[in-house]
């Protein structure tokens, strides 16, 4: 009776105005474990704020939190990071949500996680993983979902954005047409106008001006006033752009000037920037050079400010990632100290009991001491593993982040074209994020299977060999996806494979394909990476730091590494280790 009364009081407190937003009160989250499950779920669904984000991040890593509550906290934390324009952190939370949904066979949560992953990767300008997760979201949307059409519309919009980044405009147009069909079914006039405007944009890029004008007229007709400001800005901006490309410069200025003013008043900087890009050449064609010069100055200021804001945002995101890793290391050290104290206390207790009982318990004391040695050895091995992880994080990610900082500083000092430096900054940021993902994957206990290793290999082939123009083929022989594999074996095998594939993509001139084979024979596990590069005039060894690292990893596994050219053309890296 008391338990039900406590639940009723807790729910009533949540409904009161003073308790309307428990996530804004840190005490409500700190005492989350004392609440009934229904109240915990109510708290977990509340919006995450910058003040509560660190505590929510600790809760999702805390053992003992109910699985359903952890899933809600992860989703809301990912939504907070997306709202704060930190897509890398949102991806980390959504990947955990996706793993939990796969384990629970929860298709609705799985579809939502994949949809957000698609959107986050589009923000990072990394479209290929976004396309893969967007297509998975399409496959997993529940057929009985009453909101199925709206969810499918959002997924198609995200897929179209990723396709446009590749760029694959026909694919993007196909996704937008599918979204357009759904918005018309649900009578969603705003999104119908957005889809038609996006199709008009692709028609403009292909110089299909009559088709673009027809699509734009349909967009205006499908969404009569009053319109949302964002949609109105998009439509008017497209109208002005179309008029400029048709040579109607006076009409273009008449559309673009009010659009620029509204965008500036509403602080829609991206829309103002696009309007200025079209307005400056239109004014120049009309001979209104003074106005064109003023708008060009504003355009330069906008570009510089947006670049500085983007750099600061990336710096904050990297700082948050560093703080998260630092807190995890502190928790690990605290657990180690607690285990050491417990072990010491247990030893003293057993020794005291042994002295009191006498000689008859000496055998028991020896057994306990052996067990204590085993615990200490296991703890020492765990400490060495964490030290190695910390070294990898420092050597890999630390160097890349230093390069990002140096290049950002260089861009601030140069005049005035920042585009090449921005490309380098984005490249280094992606490399840092990729390295972080590799290290986190290497310590993930849920990935200790052959299937997880093969999936990771396929992802790296798609990201490295395919962009280099190489056809890929991955074959596994004598292995099954559910077969377990030791963490050390999995990490070294993947890093040797990654180094060999990267060398093939960078140095195998004239190669058209790369073949990877992982096979298990009695007592032996063998990894082979072979490309078909033409034979070089002189013997090619591709020796260097990468080959030396691969040999060291082979020695760590008590195995053998053979690397060298193949008669008739090609280069082969073969690792053979005891199974």
């Amino acid at each position: 009776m008391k338990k039900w009364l406590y639940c009723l009081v807790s729910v009533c407190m949540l409904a009161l105005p003073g308790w309307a937003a428990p996530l804004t009160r840190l005490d409500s989250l700190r005492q989350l474990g004392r609440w009934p499950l229904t109240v915990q779920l109510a708290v977990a669904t509340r919006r995450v704020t910058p003040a509560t984000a660190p505590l929510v991040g600790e809760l999702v890593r805390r053992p003992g939190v109910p699985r359903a509550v952890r899933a809600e906290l992860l989703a809301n934390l990912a939504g907070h990071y997306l709202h704060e324009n930190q897509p890398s952190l949102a991806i980390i939370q959504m990947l955990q949500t996706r793993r939990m949904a796969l384990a629970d066979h929860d298709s609705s949560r799985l579809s939502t996680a994949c949809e957000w992953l698609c959107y986050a990767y589009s923000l990072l300008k990394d479209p290929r993983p976004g396309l893969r997760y967007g297509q998975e979201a399409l496959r997993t949307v529940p057929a009985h979902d009453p909101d199925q059409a709206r969810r499918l519309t959002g997924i198609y919009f995200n897929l179209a954005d990723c396709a446009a980044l590749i760029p694959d405009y026909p694919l993007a147009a196909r996704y937008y047409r599918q979204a357009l069909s759904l918005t018309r079914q649900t009578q969603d006039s705003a999104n119908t106008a957005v889809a038609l405007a996006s199709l008009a944009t692709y028609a403009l890029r292909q110089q299909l001006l009559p088709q673009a004008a027809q699509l734009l007229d349909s967009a205006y007709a499908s969404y009569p006033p009053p319109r949302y400001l964002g949609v109105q800005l998009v439509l008017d901006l497209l109208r002005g752009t179309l008029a400029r490309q048709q040579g109607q410069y006076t009409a273009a200025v008449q559309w673009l000037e009010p659009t620029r003013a509204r965008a500036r008043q509403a602080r829609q900087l991206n829309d103002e920037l696009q309007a200025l890009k079209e307005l400056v050449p239109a004014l120049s064609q009309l001979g209104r050079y003074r106005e064109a010069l003023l708008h060009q100055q504003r355009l330069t200021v906008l570009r510089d400010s947006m670049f500085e804001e983007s750099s600061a945002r990336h710096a904050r995101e990297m700082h948050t990632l560093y703080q998260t890793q630092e807190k995890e290391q502190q928790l690990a050290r605290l657990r180690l100290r607690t285990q050491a104290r417990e072990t010491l206390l247990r030893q003293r207790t057993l020794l005291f009991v042994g002295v009191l009982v006498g000689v008859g318990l000496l055998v028991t004391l020896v057994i306990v001491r052996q067990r204590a040695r085993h615990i200490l050895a296991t703890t020492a091995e765990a400490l060495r593993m964490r030290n190695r992880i910390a070294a990898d994080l420092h050597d890999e990610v630390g160097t890349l982040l230093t390069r990002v900082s140096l290049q950002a500083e260089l861009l601030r000092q140069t005049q005035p074209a920042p585009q090449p430096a921005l490309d380098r900054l984005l490249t280094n940021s992606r490399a840092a994020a990729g390295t972080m993902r590799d290290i986190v994957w290497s310590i993930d206990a849920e990935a200790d299977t052959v299937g997880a290793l093969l999936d990771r290999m396929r992802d790296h082939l798609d990201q490295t060999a395919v962009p280099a123009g190489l056809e890929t083929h991955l074959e596994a022989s004598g292995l099954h996806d559910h077969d377990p594999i030791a963490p050390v074996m999995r990490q070294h095998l993947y890093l040797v494979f990654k180094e060999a594939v990267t060398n093939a993509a960078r140095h195998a001139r004239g190669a058209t394909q790369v073949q990877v084979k992982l096979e298990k024979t009695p007592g032996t596990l063998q990894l082979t990476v072979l490309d078909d590069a033409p034979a070089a005039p002189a013997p090619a060894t591709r020796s260097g730091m990468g080959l030396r690292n691969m040999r060291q990893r082979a020695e760590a596994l008590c195995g053998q590494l053979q690397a060298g050219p193949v008669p008739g053309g090609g280069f082969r890296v073969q690792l053979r280790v005891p199974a």
Side-chain angles (χ1 to χ4, degrees):
M1 184 65 183
K2 291 182 178 179
K3 181 178 179 181
W4 287 104
L5 181 61
Y6 178 69
C7 294
L8 180 60
V9 171
S10 301
V11 173
C12 291
M13 287 192 298
L14 283 175
L16 291 176
W19 292 74
L23 279 183
T24 61
R25 302 179 181 273
L26 296 178
D27 289 340
S28 299
L29 286 170
R30 291 193 183 102
Q31 301 177 7
L32 186 66
R34 300 174 55 185
W35 297 46
L37 180 59
T38 54
V39 181
Q40 291 187 38
L41 287 171
V43 173
T45 55
R46 299 289 181 176
R47 186 174 64 87
V48 178
T49 66
T52 59
L55 185 54
V56 174
E58 293 180 9
L59 284 174
V60 298
R61 295 189 296 271
R62 181 183 299 174
V65 176
R67 193 175 183 86
V69 176
R70 180 179 283 108
E72 293 293 339
L73 290 173
L74 282 170
N76 285 329
L77 187 60
H80 165 73
Y81 286 138
L82 286 176
H83 182 268
E84 295 294 321
N85 206 358
Q86 295 178 326
S88 296
L89 297 178
I91 286 173
I92 294 175
Q93 313 305 323
M94 278 297 100
L95 286 175
Q96 296 183 47
T97 303
R98 177 178 174 272
R99 285 198 296 268
M100 293 177 63
L102 285 171
D104 297 340
H105 303 288
D106 189 341
S107 58
S108 179
R109 198 193 318 160
L110 175 61
S111 177
T112 301
C114 292
E115 179 183 358
W116 285 23
L117 283 169
C118 179
Y119 176 66
Y121 276 111
S122 69
L123 293 180
L124 287 175
K125 310 299 182 186
D126 191 5
R128 298 192 182 278
L131 283 174
R132 186 167 62 252
Y133 285 117
Q135 291 163 358
E136 183 178 353
L138 286 178
R139 294 192 303 268
T140 54
V141 172
H144 55 79
D145 191 341
D147 206 15
Q148 181 187 33
R150 186 193 60 81
R151 294 182 63 176
L152 288 174
T153 301
I155 295 171
Y156 280 128
F157 272 119
N158 291 334
L159 282 169
D161 292 339
C162 290
L165 291 172
I166 291 179
D168 188 344
Y169 297 128
L171 179 61
R174 189 177 71 191
Y175 283 134
Y176 273 124
R177 290 191 189 96
Q178 291 169 327
L180 176 62
S181 176
L182 288 170
T183 57
R184 285 173 171 169
Q185 290 178 13
T186 57
Q187 298 181 352
D188 186 352
S189 57
N191 280 325
T192 299
V194 171
L196 288 169
S198 300
L199 291 171
T201 301
Y202 296 141
L204 278 177
R205 290 177 180 172
Q206 298 173 359
Q207 296 300 312
L208 302 175
L209 301 186
Q211 181 180 350
Q214 183 181 1
L215 288 168
L216 192 54
D217 290 339
S218 300
Y220 274 102
S222 65
Y223 187 30
R227 304 183 179 96
Y228 292 129
L229 177 61
V231 178
Q232 184 70 53
L233 290 175
V234 169
L235 295 178
D236 292 348
L237 180 59
L238 274 175
R239 180 67 76 185
T241 304
L242 177 62
R244 187 187 70 80
Q245 292 193 12
Q246 290 174 336
Q248 302 172 4
Y249 301 113
T250 302
V253 171
Q254 291 175 353
W255 282 101
L256 293 171
E257 185 62 43
T259 302
R260 179 202 62 79
R262 285 198 301 270
R264 184 170 184 176
Q265 183 179 6
R267 301 189 61 81
Q268 300 292 330
L269 299 184
N270 284 323
D271 292 326
E272 183 184 359
L273 183 69
Q274 295 300 323
L276 288 171
K277 286 181 180 180
E278 299 294 334
L279 190 57
V280 169
L283 290 171
S284 300
Q285 291 292 335
L286 294 174
R288 297 161 63 176
Y289 299 111
R290 182 181 297 276
E291 297 177 50
L293 178 60
L294 292 175
H295 288 316
Q296 181 62 44
Q297 292 173 349
R298 171 63 179 170
L299 178 61
T300 303
V301 170
L302 270 181
R303 282 174 174 168
D304 293 342
S305 63
M306 292 179 70
F307 169 72
E308 291 176 1
E309 181 183 354
S310 176
S311 300
R313 185 171 64 250
H314 282 293
R316 288 195 302 269
E317 189 170 352
M318 293 299 104
H319 180 65
T320 305
L321 281 171
Y322 172 78
Q323 286 183 331
T324 301
Q325 295 298 323
E326 188 69 21
K327 290 181 179 179
E328 290 180 352
Q329 292 178 7
Q330 291 176 359
L331 290 174
R333 288 194 292 268
L334 180 61
R335 285 195 295 268
L336 286 175
R337 286 197 295 269
T338 302
Q339 291 177 0
R341 287 195 295 268
E342 291 176 353
T343 301
L344 180 61
L345 179 61
R346 188 161 48 249
Q347 288 177 346
R348 290 178 177 177
T349 302
L350 290 174
L351 180 61
F352 178 72
V353 172
V355 171
L356 291 178
V357 174
V359 180
L361 296 179
L362 287 178
V363 176
T364 305
L365 179 60
V366 171
I367 295 175
V368 172
R369 287 178 62 86
Q370 289 177 350
R371 182 170 179 267
R373 291 193 188 97
H374 176 70
I375 293 175
L376 290 176
T378 304
T379 305
E381 178 63 23
L383 180 60
R384 286 194 293 271
M385 180 180 295
R386 286 172 173 80
N387 289 336
R388 184 170 69 252
I389 293 172
D392 288 344
L393 285 172
H394 179 270
D395 294 341
E396 295 281 344
V397 181
T399 303
L400 290 174
L401 294 180
T402 302
R403 288 172 56 191
V404 170
S405 300
L406 293 176
Q407 291 170 1
E409 183 64 25
L410 176 62
L411 291 176
R412 292 191 188 99
Q413 299 174 2
T414 54
Q415 293 291 334
Q419 192 61 36
L422 179 59
D423 291 339
R424 290 193 297 272
L425 177 61
L426 293 176
T427 300
N428 290 333
S429 299
R430 291 170 185 160
T435 303
M436 181 68 72
R437 287 194 296 270
D438 286 343
I439 294 176
V440 171
W441 175 82
S442 68
I443 63 175
D444 187 2
E446 296 182 4
D448 291 340
T449 63
V450 172
L453 175 60
L454 293 176
D455 289 342
R456 194 66 177 175
M457 287 180 172
R458 292 188 185 97
D459 288 342
H460 185 70
L461 286 172
D462 291 340
Q463 296 172 8
T464 305
V466 173
L470 298 176
E471 295 182 4
T472 62
H473 180 70
L474 176 61
E475 178 183 355
S477 176
L479 296 166
H480 302 283
D481 288 347
H482 58 271
D483 289 346
I485 185 170
V488 175
M489 174 77 75
R490 171 171 60 87
Q491 181 183 14
H492 285 305
L493 277 176
Y494 174 71
L495 292 177
V496 170
F497 155 80
K498 181 179 178 182
E499 182 68 29
V501 172
T502 302
N503 285 342
R506 290 179 179 175
H507 306 300
R509 297 182 179 177
T512 61
Q513 63 177 351
V514 58
Q515 297 182 0
V516 181
K517 185 174 184 181
L518 183 65
E519 59 179 343
K520 181 180 180 181
T521 58
T524 304
L525 187 62
Q526 180 172 294
L527 171 67
T528 304
V529 180
L530 174 65
D531 62 61
D532 62 345
T541 60
R542 301 186 190 175
S543 61
M545 188 67 181
L547 184 57
R548 185 161 60 252
N549 288 340
M550 288 192 289
R551 293 192 185 282
Q552 290 176 356
R553 296 188 185 282
E555 293 175 359
L557 296 175
C558 300
Q560 297 178 351
L561 179 76
Q562 296 179 353
V566 178
F571 194 91
R572 177 171 57 200
V573 176
Q574 189 173 73
L575 173 65
R576 187 175 300 167
V577 297

